[in-house]
Amino acid sequence: MSTALTRVLRRHWLLALLLLAGLALRIVVQLAYRPALLYIDSFRYLDDVGAFFPGGINPIGYELFLWPLLAVGSLTGVAAVQHLLGLGLGVGIYALLRRFEVRAWIAALAAAPVLLDAYQLQIEQNIMSDLLFQVLLLAAIYVLTWWGAPGPKLAALAGIVLAAAVVVRVVGVTLVVPAAVFVLLATGWRPRDGWSRRLIAAGALVGGFAVGVSGYSLYHLAWTGSLGLGGSGGGALYGRAAVVADCEHLDLTPQEKLVCPAEPIERRAANGIDFYIHFWHVQENVDKFLPADMDVSAAQGSFTRKVLLHQPLDIAGGMVTDFLKGFAPTRTQTPGDVPLDRWQFQLHYPAFAADWYLAEWTERYDDGTFSVDPGLAAFLRAYQLGGGYTPGVVLGGALVVAALAVLGVGRARGSGLRAVCLLPAGVAATVLATAAAMEFSWRYQLPGLVLIPIAGALGVTALTGRRPGRTTSPKES
């Protein structure tokens, strides 16, 4: 082993150990479930690879990622690349925090959730967009913070990166708000910068974001005849409105009454938001209950707006409850939630389609087989159910610490880290709140594994005081 490598390992020994453990776990996952895990959405992504059709429920960003990988490789290769990107997230978190003079052991612990969390490992083995979304969020944080307070060019680039995240997962559409707030504060907290520079940089960020999102929306228009990004019919909040709507006391049109579920509210809560988003208006129900010429999406949209107007507290209460679920000490499931076991390692190959259909897809993109190694799967399941995940209370505590630092408590006021601490904390809170507004799923909590530990580590460093750094870190960014 070379002297230089030895020095690097000694200096970053804790990260090296975590990376080694993360690599070992990922190899076990790769060997346990062959060629990859295929969830319900996986088939939609695979069906559109190379077609780039924007009219489905998902935007095409992940398909653009899959296209070159599947052109030269296989589903096994896609999973391997995703696992490497997962390891890269850990390294990226550590490097960013060290840039801001966060102590090495704190930076390494901040990387641990994304490196070792079993739910993260499981999603990386899935043919799903979540990992790519995490990568883009971290990339945006890098662009906005690595070189200090961002000027217009860097801000515009960050806006484009955030727009790319929207094209991967629509839930990212609100993230321009905390990013723009950060740009205003990051440039404004330096005395020599006036409002003009702040506003220009923030405008550049919003402009870059708008160009990217509107460009994709126009692409959607060219293909489908309507502006859009993706998502379920009737609007993102239809499912949440459906489970609480007081149909008897709302002034609904005949068509809106048809899309207001007839079940008692208690039964609707047990059915869950996911049911009303994806399954209630399936073609069988449409043919049975709804007129053939009825615009179901338009009726669901107008119905949702009326529920929001007349029952705002019911809607808001459900959103807050679902947001707080992500900070529970353990992985729990309440009636109506998306089933938790979808994101857990199973002792069998988790089939979300008939065997012949799975075989058809694996034959198209791999060797035509799918299998599970029972021994390795049992190990992974025991690890996951035995505590191999990041407790929600730890993430919640990290957000609280970040909030205290942003408010300037104690030494944080003079740390130069308040704004940079606000960015990952604000992006994390926004993306989790946006997801919770639609429905709760433990899968939707995964961006927090990347963003919240960054915010917490920066918060701890701000509150306790930074050690004199060997290199100059970005000030007041």
Side-chain angles (χ1 to χ4, degrees):
M1 185 179 295
S2 68
T3 303
L5 180 58
T6 301
R7 286 199 302 267
V8 169
L9 291 177
R10 285 178 178 175
R11 187 176 177 184
H12 308 289
W13 64 269
L14 183 53
L15 176 70
L17 289 177
L18 293 172
L19 276 173
L20 183 62
L23 174 62
L25 285 169
R26 283 164 172 81
I27 291 173
V28 173
V29 174
Q30 186 93 52
L31 295 175
Y33 301 94
R34 305 295 299 272
L37 293 174
L38 297 175
Y39 182 61
I40 300 166
D41 290 359
S42 303
F43 305 111
R44 300 191 188 107
Y45 291 122
L46 294 173
D47 191 40
D48 290 335
V49 169
F52 310 129
F53 175 68
I57 191 172
N58 302 308
I60 66 170
Y62 185 58
E63 295 157 26
L64 293 172
F65 171 79
L66 288 177
W67 178 48
L69 295 179
L70 291 176
V72 299
S74 62
L75 296 176
T76 303
V78 171
V81 169
Q82 292 185 164
H83 286 309
L84 290 174
L85 286 174
L87 293 172
L89 284 174
V91 175
I93 290 169
Y94 182 83
L96 181 66
L97 291 174
R98 294 295 290 149
R99 174 72 166 164
F100 288 95
E101 300 174 2
V102 174
R103 294 169 178 82
W105 67 270
I106 296 177
L109 291 180
V114 79
L115 290 174
L116 305 180
D117 193 295
Y119 290 86
Q120 175 74 24
L121 301 175
Q122 198 264 1
I123 208 66
E124 290 176 15
Q125 187 67 10
N126 268 278
I127 304 299
M128 293 283 284
S129 61
D130 302 76
L131 186 279
L132 181 59
F133 185 65
Q134 291 175 310
V135 170
L136 290 170
L137 294 185
L138 183 60
I141 301 294
Y142 258 81
V143 173
L144 287 172
T145 63
W146 187 266
W147 295 277
K153 291 182 180 179
L154 283 176
L157 176 59
I160 293 172
V161 174
L162 289 174
V166 175
V167 178
V168 172
R169 287 189 55 76
V170 177
V171 72
V173 72
T174 57
L175 299 184
V176 66
V177 176
V181 170
F182 163 76
V183 171
L184 287 171
L185 294 179
T187 54
W189 286 12
R190 299 195 305 183
R192 66 176 179 272
D193 292 329
W195 274 103
S196 59
R197 174 179 167 83
R198 286 184 269 171
L199 292 173
I200 290 171
L205 182 139
V206 174
F209 181 81
V211 167
V213 171
S214 61
Y216 180 75
S217 187
L218 290 172
Y219 178 76
H220 190 283
L221 173 67
W223 276 78
T224 68
S226 63
L227 294 169
L229 296 174
S232 58
L237 295 179
Y238 168 71
R240 186 167 292 284
V243 299
V244 300
D246 186 355
C247 303
E248 294 184 2
H249 297 94
L250 291 173
D251 183 19
L252 302 177
T253 67
Q255 290 191 337
E256 289 167 351
K257 289 180 180 178
L258 291 174
V259 298
C260 189
E263 301 92 350
I265 289 180
E266 295 78 10
R267 174 68 180 277
R268 283 184 250 160
N271 287 340
I273 293 173
D274 195 62
F275 173 80
Y276 291 102
I277 293 176
H278 298 297
F279 303 109
W280 181 82
H281 61 291
V282 295
Q283 194 61 43
E284 179 182 354
N285 287 340
V286 171
D287 293 341
K288 184 176 180 180
F289 298 112
L290 306 179
D293 59 347
M294 177 178 169
D295 188 337
V296 178
S297 293
Q300 289 177 332
S302 60
F303 161 78
T304 300
R305 288 190 289 273
K306 288 185 177 179
V307 178
L308 286 169
L309 178 63
H310 295 286
Q311 297 180 247
L313 294 181
D314 292 331
I315 296 291
M319 292 178 179
V320 171
T321 298
D322 281 354
F323 176 76
L324 294 176
K325 285 179 184 177
F327 301 105
T330 60
R331 294 292 185 267
T332 58
Q333 179 178 327
T334 58
D337 287 348
V338 177
L340 176 60
D341 61 6
R342 294 184 183 183
W343 322 121
Q344 293 175 336
F345 293 114
Q346 303 297 321
L347 300 180
H348 58 278
Y349 189 90
F352 292 95
D355 285 357
W356 66 266
Y357 193 65
L358 284 170
E360 182 178 298
W361 282 108
T362 55
E363 183 175 359
R364 181 173 178 179
Y365 290 114
D366 217 276
D367 62 2
T369 62
F370 56 94
S371 62
V372 60
D373 184 297
L376 296 179
F379 165 77
L380 291 169
R381 184 169 177 81
Y383 172 71
Q384 185 172 36
L385 300 186
Y389 58 84
T390 311
V393 291
V394 173
L395 296 175
L399 271 183
V400 171
V401 169
L404 293 174
V406 171
L407 293 173
V409 174
R411 296 181 179 180
R413 183 171 296 277
S415 68
L417 292 175
R418 294 168 67 190
V420 77
C421 189
L422 172 65
L423 180 61
V427 172
T430 301
V431 72
L432 296 181
T434 304
M438 293 180 284
E439 65 173 326
F440 176 79
S441 171
W442 281 108
R443 168 192 162 204
Y444 299 157
Q445 305 303 304
L446 293 176
L449 294 181
V450 175
L451 299 169
I452 295 178
I454 294 175
L458 289 168
V460 168
T461 303
L463 292 169
T464 60
R466 291 193 289 181
R467 295 184 305 174
R470 284 181 290 272
T471 59
T472 301
S473 64
K475 301 297 184 184
E476 298 298 345
S477 58

